[in-house]
Amino acid sequence: MTAGQAPMFSFALEGTAGHARAGTLQTPHGEVPTPAFMPVGTYGTVRGLHPAEVRRAGARMILGNTYHLHLRPGEDVVRSLGGLHAFSHWDRPMLTDSGGFQVFSLEGLRTIEEEGVAFQSHIDGSYRTITPERAVEIQWALGADIAMQFDHVVPGGAPHALAREGMERSLRWLDRCKARHVALQAADDSLPRVSASPPPAATQALWPIVQGGTHSDLRRASLEGILERGPWTGIAIGGLSVGEPKPVMHAVLDELAPVLPMDVPRYLMGVGFPQDLLEGIARGVDLFDCVAPTRNGRHGSAWISTGRVNLRSSLHRLSKEPLDAECDCETCGTFSRGYLRHLFVAGEILGLRLVSIHNVRFLIRLAEQARAHVLDGTFDGWSREWLRRYQLRGES
Amino acid sequence: MTAGQAPMFSFALEGTAGHARAGTLQTPHGEVPTPAFMPVGTYGTVRGLHPAEVRRAGARMILGNTYHLHLRPGEDVVRSLGGLHAFSHWDRPMLTDSGGFQVFSLEGLRTIEEEGVAFQSHIDGSYRTITPERAVEIQWALGADIAMQFDHVVPGGAPHALAREGMERSLRWLDRCKARHVALQAADDSLPRVSASPPPAATQALWPIVQGGTHSDLRRASLEGILERGPWTGIAIGGLSVGEPKPVMHAVLDELAPVLPMDVPRYLMGVGFPQDLLEGIARGVDLFDCVAPTRNGRHGSAWISTGRVNLRSSLHRLSKEPLDAECDCETCGTFSRGYLRHLFVAGEILGLRLVSIHNVRFLIRLAEQARAHVLDGTFDGWSREWLRRYQLRGES
């Protein structure tokens, strides 16, 4: 059975408001109501957080980084310890990227050929190669519910010729990814089972990635090529939020919204600042991921409904107020801004954890609110007002 | 009303086994069954842990460091934000040290005079002075249940003359601490209330510290001086575990055990490795504190019932075993050694947190077990067997 036909994956569209959508993605590890934000667990942990905290923040699905997990601890170790779900104690849906974005980011340390990408590990300088087949094998060993194709990512401002080269190669690599993925599934019994956590031996889905840079003809050609190779249980949009201006990203999403199939979830890779989430949802995106909530959290930078807050600021020294009075996260219900500021000034790691919890919850709640407003038909007005309020004042 | 007469503090001795004791300390923020281990929350947080984790690890009482909190964020900030309990979201008993140990550790950066100690902040180099009166005022502002006297701490191997100087000065400083503490309590209504958390305006106890280095005549003289100045709701033993050999520490405790009053809790300051805990309990100690559980945890070093485990070791790379199969902590019930090792190798801060949780729980549980064995009269045999097993094998 191929990934496209796997019965454990389905998507039910439950409502729309313009291009904005609300649905439910079904995976072997459970449901994901969409739109949804996926926190990123680079090394098998959403940085600084306990899986129970990620769960309590409302995360229904998280993302693991194949490039990082391949280097440390290695997919063989993860597989030996029961797969990524059991290893990291996360029993809800999980997706792994293919490592494509990371290896293409290793400017000067990697060589791109048709066969794959040769690169030097950023950790120990060792030489390694990732091919489409290897990317699929690594992800199979990691055992997430959803694996991504290995793709050729080009920079944000890439000219047409380069963007075309990346797009076309990504399609050829998709063929190779799919062939290897089908073979792994067919050989299922002779291979180690994917995950020791329930349900055992879950079948993994493979999702393709629309490439083509900022060029609408290439994006459409990429999508056509992908659909010819389908069916798929989900389709990702890659190569955005990689340096291009926001209006250009929006234009690409506007182009794709009406031509993407309605009945599969759409995943906008690596995107997840608050405004981007709402702009993406308005353009039909169902799934998002981004490291910003935890990366910003580590630096004491928090999102709240009226903008950004820098918790290192002396403004908060004597503040008894919660970080965000409108937030329902564990941090906002418990600690004062004054205490959070103290933790950052004193270099106490509890601080980055508490702000990371808030930021993760903030994005997840924003997606939850968007879903509710799509379902009751008020998304447009709500979203406009939300963005107006968020952008009203500067950082404090 | 003086600290010694404060009705909110009491100690009930419930059982003995030789010099080992089991009792219950009553404070304004609740009971502490003893013997008990207090985790250390230097800057208003037990490093790396959420107060809910510290609570779930079974901690009934924690310690805050006055020297550190005075420098950052400053006792005025803590008081403005409701006192140390509310500030750090800890609603169980809390004790603050006096800062004496820390300022005396600032070798080369401090000058000792009869008036007090002048020192340079280790953070910004600013010049500051702590006197007995200031130490009490700072602790009053912090608002813990129990404040410690400001004492003159001498090094572990201090000769008789120096140890005598420190011991006698500590007694003179105890007079000044007590006078200031009584004045603060008398002026209670005109001063900011100690804590916003229940119970409001809790009365704070002041505890004296037995000094005298490793010299038994000085230790006895110190205790006599303290008792003349009493009554007290608790008595601490300071100036141990500061470089002297273990048998010397045990000899001092052996000397003190029969002469310390039975009806007050005895607190051995800064002591808390597993063996030290049992050796101390055998010599009549009721309370312990130590930063080792979290400091070791940050370095991947864990205590288990059969010795120490270094989680960075490649021995654990493929281990599905829990850190300690006999432990009931959140970490041991959830994660494998293989995963913990991965977190340390990858530099993920979740690792130090998970091992800190285990180490804290390990010491708290050891004290709980000791208490049960004192109460059922089996402490000696159990303790001997525990130590034998713990020391049986090397580090792994």
Side-chain angles (χ1 to χ4, degrees):
Chain A
M1 120 183 123
T2 70
Q5 292 156 353
M8 280 185 264
F9 294 88
S10 65
F11 180 72
L13 189 63
E14 290 152 13
T16 58
H19 286 300
R21 298 143 51 90
T24 297
L25 167 67
Q26 181 70 48
T27 83
H29 281 85
E31 287 182 356
V32 183
T34 63
F37 174 78
M38 297 185 280
V40 177
T42 299
Y43 277 115
T45 157
V46 176
R47 192 154 290 162
L49 303 188
H50 191 289
E53 283 167 336
V54 180
R55 195 183 171 104
R56 290 198 300 267
R60 300 297 293 253
M61 187 168 183
I62 64 173
L63 178 146
N65 286 128
T66 291
Y67 168 80
H68 293 87
L69 290 164
H70 169 61
L71 296 181
R72 285 195 304 210
E75 63 277 10
D76 55 332
V77 172
V78 174
R79 190 178 55 188
S80 293
L81 294 173
L84 196 51
H85 279 97
F87 180 64
S88 60
H89 202 71
W90 179 257
D91 62 2
R92 291 183 171 183
M94 197 184 285
L95 177 151
T96 43
D97 66 9
S98 67
F101 179 77
Q102 271 82 19
V103 295
F104 280 94
S105 304
L106 295 170
E107 198 71 55
L109 293 173
R110 48 98 174 128
T111 319
I112 307 162
E113 295 184 350
E114 184 62 22
E115 174 61 17
V117 180
F119 64 97
Q120 268 191 284
S121 158
H122 76 283
I123 294 168
D124 61 6
S126 62
Y127 290 90
R128 293 164 185 254
T129 300
I130 293 190
T131 62
E133 290 81 6
R134 276 298 287 139
V136 164
E137 287 165 0
I138 295 168
Q139 291 180 85
W140 182 262
L142 293 173
D145 301 274
I146 295 162
M148 299 306 301
Q149 78 153 104
F150 192 61
D151 57 342
H152 181 156
V153 184
V154 297
H160 195 277
L162 177 58
R164 176 176 186 144
E165 182 192 336
M167 183 275 283
E168 291 179 345
R169 177 166 290 131
S170 293
L171 284 177
R172 294 192 297 274
W173 282 1
L174 177 57
D175 287 330
R176 291 166 58 189
C177 285
K178 184 174 176 180
R180 189 73 191 118
H181 196 253
V182 167
L184 286 167
Q185 296 215 327
D188 202 51
D189 286 341
S190 64
L191 278 167
R193 304 304 263 185
V194 171
S195 169
S197 60
T203 299
Q204 184 182 62
L206 176 70
W207 286 6
I209 303 173
V210 177
Q211 288 290 355
T214 57
H215 309 279
S216 62
D217 60 324
L218 299 180
R219 287 284 176 179
R220 281 171 176 269
S222 176
L223 179 57
E224 279 165 29
I226 284 168
L227 296 179
E228 283 166 13
R229 290 161 172 83
W232 307 99
T233 58
I235 295 178
I237 302 162
L240 289 180
S241 201
V242 289
E244 81 286 355
K246 284 283 159 77
V248 172
M249 176 169 87
H250 297 164
V252 171
L253 295 176
D254 284 332
E255 287 270 356
L256 289 172
V259 291
L260 280 159
M262 289 296 282
D263 59 349
V264 296
R266 305 156 179 191
Y267 161 35
L268 179 55
M269 304 185 78
V271 172
F273 279 69
Q275 301 106 310
D276 297 338
L277 208 71
L278 291 190
E279 299 286 1
I281 290 170
R283 292 167 176 84
V285 175
D286 304 301
L287 292 169
F288 301 83
D289 82 278
C290 189
V291 296
T294 44
R295 194 182 51 207
N296 287 359
R298 288 198 294 283
H299 297 116
S301 176
W303 295 308
I304 68 168
S305 50
T306 52
R308 277 175 74 149
V309 171
N310 171 16
L311 282 161
R312 294 181 167 277
S313 164
S314 60
L315 280 175
H316 309 300
R317 185 165 167 268
L318 295 173
S319 173
K320 294 179 180 176
E321 299 301 313
L323 170 48
D324 183 352
E326 297 177 19
C327 181
D328 60 1
C329 84
E330 296 178 23
T331 299
C332 290
T334 307
F335 300 99
S336 65
R337 289 187 177 196
Y339 182 65
L340 296 174
R341 182 205 180 239
H342 159 67
L343 294 177
F344 277 95
V345 171
E348 287 287 346
I349 58 179
L350 179 60
L352 58 92
R353 167 176 167 190
L354 294 178
V355 178
S356 293
I357 287 173
H358 167 77
N359 283 346
V360 166
R361 176 65 194 146
F362 185 81
L363 285 183
I364 287 171
R365 197 164 64 97
L366 186 56
E368 289 172 354
Q369 291 173 315
R371 175 181 161 83
H373 286 287
V374 169
L375 288 174
D376 71 10
T378 56
F379 176 78
D380 278 354
W382 169 79
S383 174
R384 213 166 25 243
E385 173 58 21
W386 196 98
L387 289 168
R388 189 196 61 76
R389 189 170 168 228
Y390 183 78
Q391 289 153 349
L392 205 57
R393 58 149 215 204
E395 185 159 312
S396 66
Chain B
M1 133 179 112
T2 69
Q5 293 158 354
M8 282 184 265
F9 294 88
S10 65
F11 180 73
L13 188 64
E14 291 153 13
T16 57
H19 286 301
R21 298 143 51 91
T24 298
L25 168 66
Q26 181 70 48
T27 84
H29 282 85
E31 287 181 358
V32 183
T34 62
F37 174 78
M38 296 185 280
V40 177
T42 298
Y43 278 115
T45 158
V46 177
R47 191 154 290 163
L49 303 188
H50 191 290
E53 283 167 337
V54 180
R55 193 184 171 106
R56 289 197 300 266
R60 301 297 295 253
M61 188 168 181
I62 63 174
L63 178 145
N65 285 129
T66 292
Y67 168 80
H68 292 87
L69 289 164
H70 169 62
L71 295 180
R72 286 194 303 209
E75 63 278 9
D76 54 333
V77 172
V78 174
R79 190 178 55 188
S80 292
L81 294 172
L84 196 51
H85 279 96
F87 180 63
S88 60
H89 202 71
W90 180 258
D91 62 2
R92 291 183 171 183
M94 195 184 286
L95 176 151
T96 43
D97 65 10
S98 67
F101 180 77
Q102 271 82 18
V103 296
F104 280 94
S105 303
L106 296 170
E107 197 73 53
L109 294 172
R110 49 97 174 128
T111 318
I112 307 162
E113 295 185 350
E114 185 62 22
E115 175 60 17
V117 180
F119 64 98
Q120 267 190 286
S121 158
H122 76 283
I123 293 168
D124 61 6
S126 61
Y127 289 91
R128 293 165 184 253
T129 299
I130 294 189
T131 62
E133 290 81 7
R134 277 298 288 141
V136 164
E137 287 165 359
I138 295 168
Q139 292 179 85
W140 183 263
L142 292 173
D145 300 274
I146 295 162
M148 300 304 301
Q149 79 152 102
F150 191 63
D151 56 343
H152 181 157
V153 184
V154 298
H160 195 276
L162 176 58
R164 175 175 188 146
E165 183 192 336
M167 183 275 284
E168 291 179 345
R169 177 167 290 132
S170 293
L171 284 177
R172 293 191 298 274
W173 284 358
L174 177 58
D175 287 330
R176 290 168 57 190
C177 286
K178 183 173 177 181
R180 188 71 191 121
H181 196 253
V182 166
L184 286 167
Q185 296 215 328
D188 201 51
D189 287 339
S190 64
L191 277 167
R193 305 303 263 186
V194 170
S195 169
S197 60
T203 299
Q204 186 182 63
L206 176 71
W207 285 6
I209 303 172
V210 176
Q211 288 291 355
T214 56
H215 308 280
S216 62
D217 61 323
L218 298 180
R219 288 282 176 180
R220 284 173 173 267
S222 176
L223 178 59
E224 278 166 29
I226 285 168
L227 295 178
E228 283 167 13
R229 289 160 172 83
W232 307 100
T233 59
I235 295 178
I237 303 163
L240 288 180
S241 201
V242 289
E244 81 285 357
K246 284 284 160 76
V248 173
M249 176 169 86
H250 297 165
V252 171
L253 294 175
D254 284 332
E255 287 271 354
L256 289 173
V259 291
L260 278 160
M262 288 296 282
D263 58 350
V264 295
R266 306 157 178 188
Y267 161 34
L268 180 54
M269 303 185 80
V271 173
F273 278 69
Q275 302 105 311
D276 297 337
L277 207 72
L278 291 190
E279 298 287 1
I281 291 169
R283 292 167 177 85
V285 175
D286 304 300
L287 292 169
F288 301 82
D289 82 279
C290 189
V291 296
T294 45
R295 194 181 51 209
N296 288 358
R298 288 197 295 283
H299 297 115
S301 176
W303 296 307
I304 68 169
S305 51
T306 52
R308 278 176 74 150
V309 171
N310 172 14
L311 282 162
R312 294 181 167 277
S313 164
S314 60
L315 279 176
H316 310 300
R317 185 165 167 268
L318 295 174
S319 173
K320 295 180 180 175
E321 298 302 312
L323 170 49
D324 183 352
E326 297 178 20
C327 180
D328 61 1
C329 84
E330 296 179 23
T331 299
C332 291
T334 308
F335 299 100
S336 64
R337 288 188 179 197
Y339 182 66
L340 296 174
R341 183 207 179 237
H342 159 68
L343 294 177
F344 277 95
V345 171
E348 287 287 348
I349 58 178
L350 179 60
L352 59 92
R353 169 176 166 190
L354 295 178
V355 179
S356 293
I357 287 172
H358 167 77
N359 282 347
V360 166
R361 176 64 193 148
F362 185 82
L363 285 183
I364 288 171
R365 197 165 65 97
L366 186 57
E368 289 172 356
Q369 290 172 317
R371 175 181 159 85
H373 286 286
V374 168
L375 288 174
D376 72 10
T378 57
F379 176 78
D380 278 353
W382 168 80
S383 173
R384 214 169 21 247
E385 173 58 21
W386 196 99
L387 288 170
R388 189 196 60 76
R389 189 169 168 227
Y390 183 79
Q391 289 153 349
L392 205 57
R393 59 153 216 205
E395 183 158 316
S396 67

